[in-house]
Amino acid sequence: MKDVYMQNFSFTEFKLTGFYSLGEWRPFLFIPFFLMFVLSIIGNSVLLYVIIANRALHSPMFVLIGLMAVVDLGGPMIFVPQMLFSFLFDWNGISLPSCLIQMFCVHYSGSCQCTLLLCMALDRYFAICRPLFYHKHMELSNILKYMIVPLIRNVVLITAVVCLASRRSYCSTNVIDHCFCEHMALVNLACDDISFNNLVGLLAAFLVPTVDFAFITLSYIIIFVSVLKSGKTHLKAMNTCITHIIVITFTIAFALMAFMSYRMTNGFSSNSRIFISTMYVLFPSCCNPIIYGLRTKEIRHQILKLIKQLKVLPL
C-alpha cells in the first residue's frame, strides 16, 4: 500500500540546498557570490548605458554587445538573490511551478548567450572577409533575420526540456542539491524513468552550444585564413577577434561542463558540479563587460569619458 501511495504522490515544494556539505562555512559563500553579482549588475548596466547614450556605438557590433549585456543582466537576477538569501538565512524553499519557470529562464538565457556569440562571429566574418557587403548583410533587419531561427530553436528545445520535467513524479525527496533549478538537478529526483528527459537534455546541449560553437569555430578559421592570405595587418585583425574568442571560450566551456557534469558522476563531486553550473551563468555576466570594456577601444574610450564627466560634477 505504501508503494502504491508513493507512486501516486509527487512533491510540489522543494528545498534548494546547494553547498550544504560545507556546513558552517556555507554562509561565507555570500561574500564572493554577492561581489560577483554586484560586479555583474554594475558592469553590464554601465556597458548598456554607454552603448545606448552614444550614437557612435549604434553599429551592429555594439548593438550585439548591448544585447549581450541585457542577457547578462537578466541571467543572474533569476536565481542569485534567492541563492544569497539561502546562504545567509536558509531561505531555500521553492514551489514546482517557480522551479520550472526558473529552469526555463536560466537555460534560455544561456542559450541566448550562445546565439549572440554566433552573431558576433558572423559580424566579424563580414567585417573582415566581406567588407564591401558588411552594411548590406549586417543591417538591423538582417541581424534579426539571422537571430530568429536560433532563438526559435532555443525556445522549442528549452520548452521541451521544461515540459518533460513537469510531467515527472517527484516522490522520493524534495531536496534539490543545487543553488537553483537546473534541469538534471530536479529530474534526478524523479521516481519514474528519466531516460527520455536525459536524451532530450543531451539533444538540447548538442543543438545549442555545441552546434553554435562549431559554426563560431568555422567562422574564425575562415577569418584567420583570409587574413593570412591577404596583405592586411595581421595583428589588427587578430586583436579585433581576440575579445570574442576569450568570451566564447569561457562561455562554451562552462556551458558544456555544466551539461555533462550530471552524465559523469564519477568525475565531479556535488560541490564541483554546483560550482560549474553556477559559474556557467554568473561568470560570463561578470567578465563580459570587463573584457568588452577593456579590449574594445571605442567602448573603453566612452567609459573613460564618462568617468571624467562624473569626476567634474559638483558634490
Side-chain angles (χ1 to χ4, degrees):
M1 290 294 294
K2 184 177 180 181
D3 292 338
V4 174
Y5 170 76
M6 291 302 292
Q7 290 177 359
N8 294 327
F9 174 78
S10 181
F11 285 105
T12 58
E13 298 290 333
F14 296 89
K15 294 180 180 179
L16 295 164
T17 60
F19 298 113
Y20 231 83
S21 60
L22 296 179
E24 62 183 7
W25 293 100
R26 186 173 182 265
F28 290 98
L29 291 175
F30 175 87
I31 298 173
F33 281 109
F34 176 74
L35 292 176
M36 291 182 70
F37 181 61
V38 171
L39 177 62
S40 171
I41 299 301
I42 294 176
N44 286 291
S45 297
V46 170
L47 184 61
L48 192 58
Y49 170 78
V50 167
I51 291 173
I52 293 175
N54 294 275
R55 293 186 61 85
L57 299 181
H58 290 182
S59 62
M61 186 70 245
F62 300 112
V63 170
L64 291 172
I65 293 176
L67 290 174
M68 181 69 79
V70 172
V71 173
D72 288 338
L73 271 173
M77 287 183 179
I78 297 165
F79 74 94
V80 173
Q82 182 181 15
M83 181 177 69
L84 296 176
F85 283 123
S86 175
F87 290 154
L88 286 183
F89 310 113
D90 281 339
W91 294 356
N92 50 20
I94 189 169
S95 66
L96 180 58
S98 297
C99 187
L100 294 171
I101 292 171
Q102 187 182 78
M103 182 192 302
F104 177 87
C105 293
V106 167
H107 289 302
Y108 189 70
S109 67
S111 68
C112 286
Q113 283 183 335
C114 295
T115 299
L116 287 169
L117 290 172
L118 178 60
C119 289
M120 289 179 182
L122 186 65
D123 176 271
R124 292 300 85 198
Y125 167 77
F126 283 116
I128 296 172
C129 300
R130 299 287 187 272
L132 296 178
F133 300 96
Y134 177 78
H135 293 289
K136 175 182 176 182
H137 290 287
M138 294 308 297
E139 292 177 350
L140 182 58
S141 59
N142 287 328
I143 292 176
L144 294 177
K145 290 178 183 177
Y146 298 144
M147 293 178 64
I148 191 67
V149 173
L151 289 176
I152 292 174
R153 172 205 61 182
N154 299 347
V155 169
V156 171
L157 288 171
I158 303 303
T159 301
V161 167
V162 174
C163 288
L164 287 171
S166 70
R167 295 172 65 87
R168 299 278 70 85
S169 296
Y170 303 99
C171 59
S172 56
T173 179
N174 69 336
V175 176
I176 303 175
D177 187 19
H178 212 297
C179 292
F180 62 90
C181 288
E182 192 179 38
H183 173 236
M184 290 305 298
L186 175 65
V187 169
N188 278 339
L189 304 183
C191 47
D192 48 359
D193 183 31
I194 64 168
S195 57
F196 191 60
N197 297 74
N198 195 12
L199 178 63
V200 174
L202 283 171
L203 183 65
F206 174 76
L207 291 178
V208 180
T210 308
V211 169
D212 286 357
F213 180 69
F215 280 112
I216 290 168
T217 303
L218 178 63
S219 67
Y220 280 114
I221 289 174
I222 295 172
I223 288 170
F224 291 139
V225 170
S226 175
V227 168
L228 292 173
K229 285 184 176 180
S230 67
K232 299 176 183 178
T233 304
H234 296 177
L235 181 61
K236 183 178 180 181
M238 294 287 187
N239 189 58
T240 304
C241 300
I242 198 69
T243 300
H244 312 296
I245 293 174
I246 293 171
V247 175
I248 289 162
T249 301
F250 282 109
T251 302
I252 301 295
F254 275 122
L256 293 179
M257 283 193 293
F259 280 123
M260 297 308 297
S261 62
Y262 282 94
R263 281 85 180 178
M264 302 169 61
T265 54
N266 295 328
F268 293 89
S269 66
S270 173
N271 288 339
S272 298
R273 185 171 62 246
I274 296 167
F275 177 77
I276 290 171
S277 297
T278 306
M279 288 299 100
Y280 159 50
V281 181
L282 193 53
F283 184 81
S285 68
C286 292
C287 291
N288 285 353
I290 297 175
I291 293 172
Y292 288 125
L294 292 177
R295 292 198 56 86
T296 308
K297 180 181 177 181
E298 294 86 352
I299 295 177
R300 183 172 67 247
H301 174 74
Q302 294 297 336
I303 291 176
L304 291 174
K305 185 178 178 181
L306 177 63
I307 294 173
K308 290 179 182 179
Q309 290 176 348
L310 293 175
K311 284 183 178 180
V312 300
L313 289 176
L315 296 178

